[in-house]
Amino acid sequence: MTATGPARLDDINPADPAFWMRPAREREEAFAALQAAGRPWHFPEPDLEAFGLGAGPGYYALARHADIAEASRTPRVFSSERGIAGLADPPAEFAEFFDSMIVMDDPRHARLRRIVSRAFTPRMIAGLGAGIERAAVEIVEAFRSRGGGDFVAGVAAPLPMRVICDMMGIPPERHERVLELSNIIIGAGDPEYTPGATSVEEAFLASYEASKELAALVTDLAAERAERPTDDLTSVLVHAEVGSGGAIDAEGEKLTHQEVAAFFILLVIAGNETTRNAIAHGLKLFTLHPGQRAALLEDFEGRIAGAVEEILRYASPVNYMRRTLTRDYTLSGTPMKEGDKVLMFYAAANRDEAVFKDPHVFDIARDPNPHLAFGSAGPHFCLGAHLARREITVMFRELFTRLPGIRSTAPPERLLSSFVNGIKHLECAF
């Protein structure tokens, strides 16, 4: 496959991390070919024999907006309980730290989501506004004093991590360590974050140990909040009660400290990675598209909402989510069997010409913009969407107010991952 010729489906495998290191034009051509096929396409699983794992039975790639929407609103068929990231089922011991609501189906999923969703309503996020703004100002001013450098380390990563840690009540002196552990978990396949790992097992072990340390941190905090509650989210979760019928009542079952820890790990990974990468991609996009940057600065308050949605669509910080079929099902004329795996490629759906006019154009005035960067409508739509939008908005307001000339100065250094469209480093100047 070349950067200018049409993609052949036999030449690609979008679950392979190497696919995501190809030039953007090649990836876009590959997804266009998948969409033109008009049905889910079956691919072999990448052969990981060199890492101690063989190839599995394969998976279906969902690249069309409509197919992903159908799978997302049919969770009884397209289940999350066998894992949502990667084709290999996660080791049993990972359940202790990753058994959060994102890998649950109803009714377990609904019971937990009902509790934690109270912290993520638009009203609650509005109440966090002053803290988010204060954090953004301090981060940008500290970056200004250093004269620039790595935008990810200096700006994009600190904001969401600080917001999440403050919400949970994690003391400031532990924020940096939480960020380091988050990088190890999400970047387990990248040599920068697990430099000693020479096999999948060793990378899994590094991720497991990082998860264990995070869980211990929050378990200790939960025990403390159980005795001395404050106004942070950990206290809310520890003292919340889940009724046996899914409603909150005085006879309900309390969340365990392990469940609180698993939710924190979910927050650290999902809430941190998506927002930090959206911010990093945003700076790169405004550097590459100065006309769009100028349009935003002409009327920042009037156009920032559209700009945030277009950054999310264009960047698609999460490449895909996995589902596993619980029974036989036919999707777009393709018969699938119980136990089959599907990967919902949001990055492809957000370029679907059947939904988006000129999908490869970055246009902050795009309307409508029904992107799937937070997933499609259904029970697993991103709980933190309001928070992410707020953080991205506030950060670009502070950046373009305090450092109006800020721009990236080198190509981004990408995370080696098929799951996250991550930027590890992005040099910038102002």
Side-chain angles (χ1 to χ4, degrees), residues 39-40 42 60 62 64 66-79 323-342 344:
R39 61 181 177 85
H42 193 269
Y60 287 95
L62 307 190
R64 300 195 309 164
D67 288 343
I68 293 176
E70 181 173 345
S72 298
R73 65 174 178 259
T74 319
R76 292 184 178 180
V77 177
F78 295 90
S79 169
R323 298 291 186 261
T324 307
L325 272 73
T326 61
R327 60 178 173 84
D328 295 356
Y329 189 83
T330 298
L331 180 63
S332 291
T334 299
M336 301 178 181
K337 299 292 186 182
E338 178 184 351
D340 282 348
K341 305 170 188 177
V342 301
M344 303 184 296

Side-chain angles (χ1 to χ4, degrees), residues 353-402:
E353 292 185 349
V355 177
F356 302 98
K357 181 181 178 181
D358 299 324
H360 304 298
V361 174
F362 178 65
D363 178 11
I364 66 171
R366 184 180 297 278
D367 184 31
N369 192 351
H371 65 78
L372 303 184
F374 293 121
S376 186
H380 284 284
F381 183 81
C382 179
L383 190 62
H386 293 300
L387 178 60
R389 288 176 171 123
R390 185 61 179 264
E391 291 178 43
I392 298 166
T393 297
V394 169
M395 180 50 78
F396 277 106
R397 179 185 293 120
E398 296 305 327
L399 282 170
F400 288 149
T401 298
R402 298 170 185 275

Side-chain angles (χ1 to χ4, degrees), residues 17 19-22 27 150-153 156-157 182-183 186-190 192-193 269-270 272-282 284 311-312 314-320 347 410-426:
F19 171 82
W20 294 93
M21 303 308 287
R22 292 185 175 192
R27 300 196 306 273
D150 184 356
F151 181 76
V152 175
S182 168
N183 286 338
I186 204 69
D190 191 301
E192 178 174 343
Y193 296 125
I269 296 173
N272 169 46
E273 287 296 328
T274 53
T275 306
R276 73 189 269 187
N277 286 312
I279 293 171
H281 279 282
K284 182 192 72 171
I311 291 169
L312 289 164
Y314 204 92
S316 297
V318 176
N319 291 324
Y320 73 84
E413 187 174 339
R414 293 171 51 81
L415 178 73
L416 180 59
S417 171
S418 61
F419 183 60
V420 174
N421 186 17
I423 294 179
K424 297 190 295 182
H425 306 289
L426 183 66

